[in-house]
Amino acid sequence: MIVAAIGLLGPPLGRALLSHHSVTFWPSVDGEVLPEPTEQARFLLALVAPLFISAVLVIAIRRTPRLSGRTADAAVVCAQAAGLAFVVVCMVAQWRFTYGPVYNGSGSFHQHYFNLQTLVLSAIATGAVLLATRSASVRARFADWSIGEHRHERWVSIGAFVIAVLATVVWLLHAVNFEDTIGQANYAAAFHIQFTLDETYSVLDGRSPLVNFAAQYGSLWPYPVAAVMAVLGKTIG
């Protein structure tokens, strides 16, 4: 119901709330920004979706429908098939969708978020999880570590902490840049680095905010950042 509402109600709701005539921008950026009423309306519907789901769950709990085992199994299969079909559609769409020049100031381009390598790794990870959860011995050992007598042992806590740290590092690793990589970083990050670090480099250069240079983002934050860079190195890294 939510997907249908987003797909069907997006255009009329966008025209009603955010028509092209009601959305205006400053003349200096009018050529760089396009009003997108349908996209904004669909985003609004998606934003309200969790509230709708919560209300449906509350009603469903109070009025639990009586379904036969066969009907319930069929509903589960249909839901799984619909989810798989949605993923396939999204995968195909990323190869077919074309972004206009308004996004990069030049010609049209494609953006592929998932390639063959990511799909293969996802399949391997999913298969590993399935094999582990279907193994009685693995489930028993995990239960013993998490809720059994071993849960208070120090090595279990240390191991969980290490896994969490490694997962966080891997997740954030693409955001770490140095002088020789910032040029190949996302355009927004590479372009704005000159504005987010110029105040810190001014402090490192012996200047002081509100004295001999005007800070754009903050007059105090450059000092703790400059202190760290003065010890670890005056580099983007």
Side-chain angles (χ1 to χ4, degrees), residues 110-146:
H110 296 274
Q111 181 68 51
H112 302 151
Y113 292 98
F114 300 96
N115 52 30
L116 180 61
Q117 291 85 348
T118 57
L119 293 178
V120 171
L121 289 176
S122 299
I124 294 175
T126 302
V129 172
L130 286 175
L131 291 176
T133 54
R134 291 182 177 182
S135 171
S137 60
V138 172
R139 292 200 307 270
R141 180 170 298 181
F142 180 79
D144 188 33
W145 288 346
S146 57

Side-chain angles (χ1 to χ4, degrees), residues 7 27 63 78 81 115 152 158 160 163 169 172 174 179 191:
R63 300 180 180 180
C78 290
N115 52 30
H152 298 300
I158 295 177
I163 292 175
V169 169
L172 296 177
H174 70 283
E179 274 71 9
F191 175 77

Side-chain angles (χ1 to χ4, degrees), residues 89-99 109-112:
V89 169
C90 291
M91 292 297 302
V92 174
Q94 73 163 353
W95 292 91
R96 296 174 58 89
F97 191 81
T98 302
Y99 292 90
F109 67 98
H110 296 274
Q111 181 68 51
H112 302 151

